[in-house]
Amino acid sequence: MLYEHRTHHCFAAAIGDGGLTEPTYRLLIEDAAPAIQQLRDDRNSGALPMLRLPGRRDDLEALQPLAARLRDDFDDVVLLGTGGSSLGGQTVAALADYPFSQRKGPHLHFMDNVDPHTIDAMLAALDMTKTAFLVVSKSGGTAETLSQFIACLSTARAAVGEAGLADRFILITQPGDSVLRRMGARWKLPILDHDPAIGGRFSVLSLVGMLPTMVAGVDPFEVRRGAESVLQETLGAHEPGESAPAVGAAISVGLLREHGIGTTVLMPYIDRLGHFGLWYRQLWAESLGKDGKGTTPIRAMGTVDQHSQLQLYLDGPRDKMYSLVTLAADGRGPRVDPALADDPSLDYLAGRTIGDLMAAEQKATGETLYRNGRPTREFALADLDAAAMGALLMHFMLETIIAARLLSVDPFDQPAVEEGKVRAREHLAKIAT
Amino acid sequence: MLYEHRTHHCFAAAIGDGGLTEPTYRLLIEDAAPAIQQLRDDRNSGALPMLRLPGRRDDLEALQPLAARLRDDFDDVVLLGTGGSSLGGQTVAALADYPFSQRKGPHLHFMDNVDPHTIDAMLAALDMTKTAFLVVSKSGGTAETLSQFIACLSTARAAVGEAGLADRFILITQPGDSVLRRMGARWKLPILDHDPAIGGRFSVLSLVGMLPTMVAGVDPFEVRRGAESVLQETLGAHEPGESAPAVGAAISVGLLREHGIGTTVLMPYIDRLGHFGLWYRQLWAESLGKDGKGTTPIRAMGTVDQHSQLQLYLDGPRDKMYSLVTLAADGRGPRVDPALADDPSLDYLAGRTIGDLMAAEQKATGETLYRNGRPTREFALADLDAAAMGALLMHFMLETIIAARLLSVDPFDQPAVEEGKVRAREHLAKIAT
């Protein structure tokens, strides 16, 4: 496996009263069997096309010339889109595109907000002759994305003329009539199809996530290979306990049911997984948070949040479960030169690497949490590469779908967000131009 | 006032069953009176030096030559430090140092983690002859900061020689013996005093936050002026209801007591307040999360999280209160050219600015939340400048201290985090060098 899912310290047998009891767990893991059967059926029937993506290569091969052109011809590539249109690409691209990275290719920017200050600054800072835009809206009608798109189109047209737009703007939206598609036709811009049966928060393995991934220089085939390995483990499981995502879902729902644990903290100890935490937040919150149900995801970051949130986690209310994502960091990074660390109180650091310190911190925090009766699991990675990223993505997508089935909610809808969109249009209509 | 604190929609009279009732609120706001009296006493006696910082100028004037030298002489300035040593500076510096900003002066980097991959990349990317380091540890013994410091010292010494180190490394730590101070003496590095009576999470207005602020080119006097205006409002209040922070504390604790609302969501609609949310998370979590008490802070971001978390917020468990931070954005940012938005379904956007859209989104989300019975308050800003930033910082520091008094916990300690630090040292000692 590309990760090891260590769940021992979520159970009462290991951590006492705060943990999940065996009978509740057994009940829930048995309930996961029909959810897994449903996944098998959906993969076979094609009802959930996201489950077929990991095994596909043709669509990625078709994208390669475009990705190569974006990498070769531009200094900056800006993705306009929000929520599921943006988070997947950000998550995987971060493998190559992190602070101080010196990779080749254009700078990637994800404009997922409509802060006028930021957009003014972006349009002033970028050279429109050397900038390309990916405009992503599944519905083709997202107000934020459309307003960004029109603002960028105005600025780019002034810089490169109408003839230059088709090279610089690429639209991704579902088939069928929409305002984005009509605008694309009007300006003769290339339009790529967003699969209408893949919701934004499950779209990371589709072109929505994979095109930015390719622009960043990360191998999308490896991402899918990692995802496929996790999917096969679950689809091929003889019993649900062999599926790591099913085990995770049963633990999470069980802790909610037994202990009212309504908050779930995802805490990676790897900077490059910072966006992963944000992607997970949407996936979990939007899939499960309905009908008064669901648990609240929190994105934490080790070791940073040990200096910010650990006091609350250890000594505050017992309403959280913890998922650490750790990396075998021993021996990595710069070594603490013993000649500089010659102070006796630095003996514990002298000659160690920064990675040794990270490894010790990961281990210590996990221990401190579970020894204080806090249910804690670990996703242990030997390496964080494209395949491991794909494995994590698929784990959490499957865990979310199975948890939704255990909670009896539909993982694929988001009925409550429409009201806010309608109200926003009403308010906008009232503002005098 | 530099912000308007709108709390109407937290109350049952406005939003129904999910809101706070008047009797509970009245009880708690009366309980805030001794907390405010304590603040007055602590300011007068000097027991809380953080309350005297807003009125001081001498310490900032003394820092000006150093800040000017850092701005003039270096391409990069790296802050090594974590938690309270880093978050305050990041928060205020973000006013000038945001994506696409084209300000003058060195690039600022906040290295608050010990991910070996990131540190390797940082040391490889930066030109050590043009890089300065601020090393911040209140205790002078933080393992993460010390190991970063030694790694950077090694690399810099190889590049600029021992004689060049004193220009490039500036240490900030409390007086008295510590390993950081001993190392500073050994390498003849300048050392600035961290006030031992100002805890990290309350240190933003001290040199810890203000030196990075000055390097970024933000006016620290204005930040303090804004903070002082809020402090004076609270210290001069004839009754606690005249203090916005006391009102906020009473509402927060009241919602917890009456409805078990254990999660508090801070959702700014301003990109430059992204770090503010992280600063607030530490302040609130570490000050209140003890003895099984406290509520869990969540940092959200509007409009982004409308596309990620709003489904959960509106339709999931009723366990959250919401604090929106909004900006009068109408008319700001690029205008949506009606000639490009000539599709009938874009009538609501054509001729509007991106800021109009942001204004409508803020208003719509607030309304949608409170109309669904979710307690929602708003911090309405006419502008986000240095003074408004100072006002927000002081509001939340005072609200946190008063809430702690209402919960009967000590806002200034963090007893539970020591265990993890001890364990980390034990694990590190076990790793073979």
Side-chain angles (χ1 to χ4, degrees), chain A residues 338-367:
Chain A
L340 301 192
D342 57 353
D343 192 288
S345 71
L346 291 175
D347 283 353
Y348 75 104
L349 276 178
R352 312 294 200 249
T353 65
I354 298 272
D356 292 341
L357 176 63
M358 178 58 97
E361 298 271 356
Q362 292 172 169
K363 200 160 178 174
T365 300
E367 273 186 28

Side-chain angles (χ1 to χ4, degrees), chain B residues 171-183:
Chain B
L171 314 186
I172 299 180
T173 188
Q174 66 190 4
D177 184 50
S178 72
V179 56
L180 183 58
R181 209 166 258 275
R182 291 193 297 271
M183 287 194 66

Side-chain angles (χ1 to χ4, degrees), chain A residues 20-29 250 253-255 257-258:
Chain A
L20 183 62
T21 65
E22 201 58 32
T24 300
Y25 171 72
R26 209 164 306 146
L27 212 68
L28 283 160
I29 195 72
V253 175
L255 286 168
R257 192 178 292 180
E258 261 194 347

Side-chain angles (χ1 to χ4, degrees), chain B residues 251-263 293-295 407:
Chain B
I251 289 172
S252 181
V253 175
L255 287 168
L256 174 65
R257 193 178 291 179
E258 261 194 344
H259 297 292
I261 286 180
T263 305
K293 298 175 184 170
T295 61
L407 289 168

